[in-house]
Amino acid sequence: MIVAGSVVALPQENLDTDQMYPGKYLSLITRKGLGRLLFEAFPAGRDLFEKNRDASIFVTGDNVGCGSSREHAVWALSDWGIRAVIAPSFARIFHENCYSNGVVPVILTDKAAFEQCLSAKALEIDVDNEVVLKAGREIARFELDPLRKDFILHGGFLEYLATKVDQVRAWRTREIAASR
């Protein structure tokens, strides 16, 4: 799987989920349409995303997704069209929410490689091989958790889980038969 596209870069440390997705909309529970609310309460972010409407890769600073645990922030990014987030570090729950929703969380601790991503107009992320490419040239390697990588390759946790339904049913049938 390759995520390729233009980049929107917001090199801000501690970008929190409240800035990405306003709390007043937490009662919305569908994933569709949340992109229109992305960065509504953070005009600098909103303006940047509006200027880069076709971006599919978001590059940002340390500790992205800190603050509340709202999954809506990842839903809004995904609905906007963001398929990968590149940062030196992620808040733990936001990181998990990226995996669960099929957004590739790329941790880049190599400062030179991160700087290249910040200044890039476009990047490619080879998810299978865990490589970031710029103009076809490898600029960094990263690691994904193997199980959670499968979530991404299937489009998210629920999509991954749907592929396991038959296995669970077969296991359950064997367990019931063995208990009789």
Side-chain angles (χ1 to χ4, degrees), residues 13 25 28 57 72 101 114 129 141 143 153 155 159-160 178:
E13 293 182 7
Y25 299 118
L28 300 176
I57 299 171
H72 295 68
N101 289 286
F114 180 72
N129 295 304
R141 293 196 158 272
E143 293 182 17
L153 294 174
E159 293 78 3
Y160 168 83

Side-chain angles (χ1 to χ4, degrees), residues 71-111:
E71 192 170 19
H72 295 68
V74 175
W75 292 351
L77 285 168
S78 179
D79 190 56
W80 186 274
I82 298 299
R83 300 292 168 253
V85 178
I86 298 174
S89 67
F90 286 66
R92 187 184 58 81
I93 294 172
F94 183 80
H95 191 241
E96 289 293 325
N97 286 338
C98 284
Y99 276 119
S100 295
N101 289 286
V103 174
V104 184
V106 177
I107 297 174
L108 277 189
T109 56
D110 178 325
K111 193 169 185 131

Side-chain angles (χ1 to χ4, degrees), residues 22-42:
K24 65 183 178 182
Y25 299 118
L26 288 177
S27 62
L28 300 176
I29 56 170
T30 61
R31 297 180 193 185
K32 298 288 181 201
L34 298 187
R36 66 185 164 76
L37 304 170
L38 185 65
F39 289 112
E40 183 187 87
F42 184 57

Side-chain angles (χ1 to χ4, degrees), residues 63-179:
N63 198 29
V64 61
C66 60
S68 72
S69 59
R70 64 185 64 159
E71 192 170 19
H72 295 68
V74 175
W75 292 351
L77 285 168
S78 179
D79 190 56
W80 186 274
I82 298 299
R83 300 292 168 253
V85 178
I86 298 174
S89 67
F90 286 66
R92 187 184 58 81
I93 294 172
F94 183 80
H95 191 241
E96 289 293 325
N97 286 338
C98 284
Y99 276 119
S100 295
N101 289 286
V103 174
V104 184
V106 177
I107 297 174
L108 277 189
T109 56
D110 178 325
K111 193 169 185 131
F114 180 72
E115 292 295 326
Q116 286 189 59
C117 292
L118 273 176
S119 64
K121 296 280 187 218
L123 293 169
E124 289 179 37
I125 299 170
D126 180 340
V127 176
D128 295 313
N129 295 304
E130 301 175 2
V131 176
V132 178
L133 304 137
K134 182 178 177 182
R137 189 177 61 83
E138 178 182 320
I139 60 171
R141 293 196 158 272
F142 61 96
E143 293 182 17
L144 296 172
D145 174 87
L147 174 62
R148 289 171 181 85
K149 182 177 176 178
D150 276 348
F151 299 172
I152 290 169
L153 294 174
H154 286 89
F157 174 71
L158 293 177
E159 293 78 3
Y160 168 83
L161 196 58
T163 68
K164 304 297 181 190
V165 169
D166 289 340
Q167 287 178 303
V168 171
R169 282 189 181 133
W171 171 82
R172 181 74 179 138
T173 299
R174 285 191 309 273
E175 288 296 311
I176 290 171
S179 68

